[in-house]
Amino acid sequence: YFNHYLQASAQPLPQMQEYFLREREYLLELVAPQEAILDVGCGSGRNIKDLAPHVRLAVGVDSDAEMIEAARVHLAGLHNVELYNEDFFAMTFPEQFDLTLCTYNTIGSPFIHAFKREAFVRKMMETTKPGGNVIITFWKQDTTGMEFSKMYFSSIGVPVLKVEKAHVETTEGIFRRFSREDIEIIAKQLSSSYSIVDLTDIFFLLDITIEKRHQ
């Protein structure tokens, strides 16, 4: 899937270009020079490239060694970046982050099993400071999102075997798509302080604010 991912990021379809732009705009509003961010499933470093110049520290984690090597090349010259080829669930960090993000529907990929999704979001919240934000983007399950899924995979040379309900089965695995109600179910179990943003025609954005502890 590595080469397909690189192609999709380097030569994005117009709908993906819009998503990248809207996501970048949203994330830049959340960061400040003294802050630290964590990108979970950082891939080749698309978000870190945009955010690192605006923060004190940018950390990227990906379980795919090829992705991390691509990120090292893509982010060469940025001296406030740390990259780790690790399993996020097994990691501990010396500090909490002001912003923890997981984008490009990584949460709906074959690499995060359905029964791990809530634990995955909980882990992201645990790594984030009180007052900080957890950002996750979800590919939409509606007709537009599902139809675009077929176009998207076809454009990067990944055959689609079957589209059924919220699942897109491909030769690279089964990818999950989400409704607003699906996201509500995940978010409500973990926090009372969140918003779901209708980011583009094909993506939702979940923004969880980590509540400050009262003395």
Side-chain angles (χ1 to χ4, degrees):
Y1 190 65
F2 170 71
N3 289 326
H4 298 300
Y5 171 87
L6 289 187
Q7 180 181 339
S9 297
Q11 300 175 322
L13 294 171
Q15 294 92 329
M16 295 305 293
Q17 287 180 322
E18 181 188 10
Y19 158 60
F20 292 159
L21 175 61
R22 300 294 176 224
E23 181 180 78
R24 179 178 184 272
E25 291 173 343
Y26 195 97
L27 293 172
L28 285 172
E29 289 292 322
L30 297 177
V31 297
Q34 74 278 11
E35 294 181 344
I37 67 165
L38 171 65
D39 188 350
V40 184
C42 66
S44 58
R46 175 178 59 87
N47 281 312
I48 292 178
K49 184 85 168 181
D50 289 335
L51 298 176
H54 304 279
V55 298
R56 170 177 58 84
L57 173 67
V59 177
V61 177
D62 204 293
S63 59
D64 189 313
E66 286 184 298
M67 292 289 191
I68 288 296
E69 286 307 308
R72 292 192 196 286
V73 173
H74 188 208
L75 303 172
L78 291 172
H79 302 296
N80 63 335
V81 172
E82 297 177 5
L83 297 170
Y84 299 93
N85 173 213
E86 300 282 353
D87 176 359
F88 174 58
F89 278 107
M91 294 187 74
T92 57
F93 300 92
E95 64 175 303
Q96 288 181 304
F97 297 89
D98 300 278
L99 171 66
T100 302
L101 58 137
C102 177
T103 62
Y104 213 154
N105 198 56
T106 296
I107 197 166
S109 73
F111 318 113
I112 301 179
H113 296 294
F115 65 87
K116 282 189 172 183
R117 286 187 188 121
E118 181 182 329
F120 186 85
V121 179
R122 189 182 301 277
K123 172 83 172 178
M124 291 181 70
M125 293 174 66
E126 290 169 356
T127 67
T128 309
K129 293 178 182 178
N133 296 79
V134 170
I135 300 293
I136 305 169
T137 56
F138 296 80
W139 197 305
K140 291 182 180 180
Q141 180 190 329
D142 62 12
T143 302
T144 300
M146 299 305 278
E147 285 301 314
F148 179 69
S149 291
K150 300 174 190 176
M151 184 192 310
Y152 169 81
F153 284 116
S154 175
S155 74
I156 59 175
V158 175
V160 174
L161 305 177
K162 183 168 59 175
V163 176
E164 186 175 27
K165 294 183 179 179
H167 298 89
V168 182
E169 183 178 345
T170 77
T171 54
E172 298 292 335
I174 298 175
F175 294 80
R176 176 76 152 83
R177 303 309 189 222
F178 298 85
S179 67
R180 182 181 289 270
E181 291 71 26
D182 294 329
I183 303 169
E184 287 272 4
I185 290 170
I186 294 171
K188 280 183 177 178
Q189 296 181 70
L190 300 172
S191 176
S192 60
S193 182
Y194 69 88
S195 60
I196 299 173
V197 179
D198 198 5
L199 194 64
T200 74
D201 287 345
I202 54 173
F203 274 92
F204 288 117
L205 181 147
L206 172 63
D207 184 346
I208 300 174
T209 301
I210 306 302
E211 297 181 28
K212 295 183 178 179
R213 303 181 185 93
H214 298 292
Q215 298 294 327

